[in-house]
Amino acid sequence: MDDRDLERTLRAGLAARAEKTDVRAAGRVLDATRRAVVVRRGRRRAALAAAAVAVLVGGGATAVVVGGGDDDPQQVATDPTSAPPEPAGPWRTESWGGLTVDVPADWGYGGAPMHSGGDVVACPGAPETGDGDIGWVGRPILSSDMCTVYPWLSSSPQEQSTTPYVWLGAAVEPGVVTYAGGLVEETVEVEGETLTVASTDPALRQHIIDSARPVEECPDSWGDTIPAGNSGMTDEGRGDPIDAVVCSYRREGNGYALTYARTVETDVVDRSWQAQAAAARITHDDTCMGEGPDEFVVVEARYTDRFGSEPLVQRAVFEMGCAGEVDLGPDFLDNGNQIRTRMTRAGVTPWADAGIATVVHAPTDGQFLAPLLIGLQG
Amino acid sequence: MVTQAPDSAPPEFAAWAEARVVALLRFAYVVTGSQEAAEDAVQAALVTACEKWSRIGRTDDPERYVRRMVVNGHISAWRRVGRRESSVAAVRGQVAADPGDAVARRDAVWRMCSGLPRQQRAAVVLRFYEDLDDSEIAAVLGVTEGTVRSHIHRALAALRREIDREEEA
């Protein structure tokens, strides 16, 4: 039997075996899929809108009652014995590019492996905010001048560490690595990004990997354009708040890609917008010799319009170029006049949380913002 | 990476899943080697696909994307249990009466596949059931093309030994 015959035998053997599949299971699989999707949606909505969800427990079975949603039944019974044990919350979301995952809410932030000058390094290769023993979320961003070569050198502290972490978009090949200290690092590709989860707890790793989904809070990219600012104001004023987000982007190739996303209260956006409106106006083009910034942050809130169908959008766009400028859009009182102001601490402080401090670089001429954003020296 | 098919509305997920679930089950069965594991793998892949359907449904070939999830889910499940499960080296005691019989050879294929590690078995299925080339299989499994070639070479060698053993018997 030559190789060609052998391959033919293999093809025929696999095809014949496939015919022995019990396809009567198809209906069962589809039913189970529908139930699982509904339960997952219920869990996600529970996290987003706890007031809309009530969990009733009784008789050894759990029923999830989901309010709202046209495509979901009002009540779905699930078998508690079939559900895998879930690590305890609470959780927060972390995003990078088109990817969002859930991570424990008390984890800090740090770096993640990235390509740099022919090497792969993490800067830093450890948590730089939060409690270092709890866990951290890392992105492939130069946020410190303390870099560690990846893969970790043998006998390095990282080889022995048991602190869990999640890396988003790291320069790590998919696969599993088990470290001397017992930490298991699993990397998968999802939503066009690498997702690396390291923990000694397999349930935690799986929960985080299973939570991977397309980013929802912010656009994953703005292409090669930077969005314009806007006051979101009308003669009649704004209606009720709908939602608010902080979304940061950095230049990737010919466009800008998402590096961080966070939902915030609408008053965070308004305080930032008002502070920047009060800052010094920029009346001439003093950007970096005409080049756009490498990073920008969109701080945006939406409100209902009492006299219109489309939401009103209040948006400040922080452009991290040389000087640091903020686009607030057309002047409400003088529509032909665009408001651009010098970036200030009062404008940045409302939204610069611990995550932003490890993701967004301060403008070159705005190093006074370094405690809030990444400075020249990390 | 998901490639987008521009200007085309994605098929409705429920209708798509109903039309393709049988083919997915057959594929999962030869990948996993078990009816129960196949059902679990297909269900898990369909749940994920449903949640991301706005994106997956617009790809050139949604089914290929879902089959990839079946494979990766099966291999990841193996990793999650810490490799406690070990594959059998070979399944004995089922030597066919007539070694030249096509049925006997198909059984030999299945015995050989049953003895392969999961990733190697997945490579074999993707090559000889799905007709993917080395680069496509490498992308699905997250390994190099050299590893794929090694998997295929070893599987064919194992099949040849299995058939030779039958003929000797």
Side-chain angles (χ1 to χ4, degrees):
Chain A
M1 177 179 280
D2 62 19
D3 284 353
R4 200 170 297 173
D5 289 336
L6 204 58
E7 291 189 7
R8 266 198 293 270
T9 300
L10 193 40
R11 287 180 198 281
L14 289 172
R17 197 69 195 189
E19 290 299 315
K20 294 188 176 182
T21 309
D22 181 3
V23 296
R24 292 170 301 177
R28 189 162 64 237
V29 169
L30 289 173
D31 287 344
T33 299
R34 288 187 197 102
R35 286 196 300 274
V37 167
V38 170
V39 169
R40 276 201 187 189
R41 284 179 180 169
R43 285 183 185 147
R44 190 163 302 155
R45 288 177 188 182
L48 292 171
V53 178
V55 179
L56 310 175
V57 180
T62 302
V64 181
V65 180
V66 182
D70 298 330
D71 52 350
D72 291 345
Q74 286 297 301
Q75 185 163 339
V76 178
T78 63
D79 176 4
T81 61
S82 67
E86 295 256 346
W91 304 89
R92 71 169 191 254
T93 63
E94 292 291 340
S95 302
W96 173 269
L99 171 65
T100 290
V101 295
D102 294 335
V103 303
D106 55 357
W107 281 17
Y109 291 92
M114 60 184 181
H115 294 287
S116 177
D119 293 321
V120 175
V121 294
C123 308
E128 55 185 323
T129 72
D131 187 328
D133 292 333
I134 294 177
W136 50 292
V137 178
R139 290 172 169 80
I141 288 176
L142 184 70
S143 60
S144 165
D145 54 5
M146 298 290 288
C147 296
T148 307
V149 174
Y150 184 88
W152 312 130
L153 300 175
S154 61
S155 303
S156 67
Q158 285 85 358
E159 284 270 320
Q160 298 297 329
S161 173
T162 57
T163 303
Y165 53 83
V166 165
W167 292 338
L168 304 172
V172 178
E173 292 293 318
V176 178
V177 179
T178 302
Y179 290 108
L183 204 63
V184 178
E185 178 190 288
E186 184 169 356
T187 300
V188 296
E189 281 190 6
V190 58
E191 301 300 337
E193 305 290 347
T194 60
L195 168 62
T196 303
V197 184
S199 171
T200 57
D201 179 359
L204 176 62
R205 289 200 306 275
Q206 194 54 38
H207 181 94
I208 294 172
I209 290 174
D210 284 347
S211 75
R213 57 193 183 274
V215 65
E216 295 165 345
E217 291 87 353
C218 307
D220 60 358
S221 169
W222 280 91
D224 59 356
T225 61
I226 298 175
N230 198 1
S231 68
M233 186 55 73
T234 67
D235 291 334
E236 299 83 12
R238 305 185 188 108
D240 297 326
I242 299 173
D243 54 26
V245 292
V246 174
C247 314
S248 72
Y249 298 83
R250 73 170 180 178
R251 196 189 295 277
E252 290 283 347
N254 294 325
Y256 292 95
L258 185 73
T259 55
Y260 187 83
R262 175 77 64 234
T263 56
V264 294
E265 299 296 325
T266 48
D267 80 293
V268 167
V269 176
D270 196 46
R271 280 189 285 126
S272 174
W273 201 98
Q274 298 299 345
Q276 284 301 150
R281 298 286 180 103
I282 295 174
T283 55
H284 62 283
D285 181 6
D286 60 356
T287 54
C288 300
M289 292 180 288
E291 290 189 15
D294 287 333
E295 298 175 60
F296 65 86
V297 179
V298 177
V299 180
E300 177 181 301
R302 296 191 307 160
Y303 301 82
T304 59
D305 183 353
R306 297 189 185 94
F307 299 93
S309 58
E310 294 298 315
L312 298 171
V313 177
Q314 181 185 30
R315 179 191 296 145
V317 181
F318 290 74
E319 300 176 7
M320 308 295 168
C322 295
E325 299 181 16
V326 182
D327 182 5
L328 299 174
D331 189 336
F332 174 64
L333 301 175
D334 176 11
N335 232 338
N337 188 17
Q338 295 285 319
I339 307 176
R340 287 182 73 84
T341 61
R342 185 76 66 199
M343 199 176 300
T344 65
R345 181 185 297 273
V348 171
T349 298
W351 50 266
D353 59 17
I356 283 287
T358 62
V359 173
V360 178
H361 292 85
T364 310
D365 297 337
Q367 292 303 303
F368 63 94
L369 294 168
L372 301 171
L373 309 174
I374 304 169
L376 284 177
Q377 296 182 348
Chain B
M1 179 67 73
V2 178
T3 55
Q4 303 284 320
D7 302 329
S8 60
E12 204 255 322
F13 175 77
W16 179 88
E18 198 164 331
R20 302 311 308 160
V21 66
V22 168
L24 287 169
L25 276 172
R26 292 192 198 284
F27 171 72
Y29 183 52
V30 290
V31 167
T32 65
S34 134
Q35 178 74 28
E36 185 181 2
E39 292 178 26
D40 288 347
V42 171
Q43 183 200 324
L46 287 177
V47 169
T48 304
C50 179
E51 293 183 331
K52 301 174 180 176
W53 190 246
S54 61
R55 184 167 173 157
I56 295 173
R58 290 183 183 279
T59 61
D60 295 333
D61 188 351
E63 185 162 339
R64 174 166 290 191
Y65 197 85
V66 175
R67 289 184 184 215
R68 179 185 297 190
M69 288 195 281
V70 168
V71 171
N72 286 331
H74 182 58
I75 293 173
S76 296
W78 168 62
R79 287 171 175 153
R80 285 198 297 278
V81 297
R83 309 190 182 199
R84 286 193 296 270
E85 179 187 339
S86 58
S87 55
V88 291
V91 181
R92 308 288 189 209
Q94 296 179 34
V95 177
D98 178 5
D101 186 74
V103 174
R105 289 190 170 176
R106 289 202 286 269
D107 287 345
V109 167
W110 194 241
R111 286 198 298 278
M112 182 276 294
C113 285
S114 300
L116 297 179
R118 290 194 180 198
Q119 189 181 77
Q120 191 175 345
R121 179 199 185 106
V124 168
V125 171
L126 291 169
R127 163 59 53 79
F128 297 108
Y129 186 76
E130 286 288 290
D131 283 327
L132 300 190
D133 62 26
D134 288 348
S135 63
E136 291 172 314
I137 297 170
V140 170
L141 298 180
V143 299
T144 65
E145 291 184 37
T147 300
V148 172
R149 285 193 287 273
S150 172
H151 283 337
I152 301 296
H153 175 78
R154 289 182 182 184
L156 286 172
L159 179 59
R160 186 181 293 282
R161 284 196 299 274
E162 190 70 28
I163 290 173
D164 287 348
R165 191 159 39 229
E166 281 193 358
E167 288 177 348
E168 288 170 9

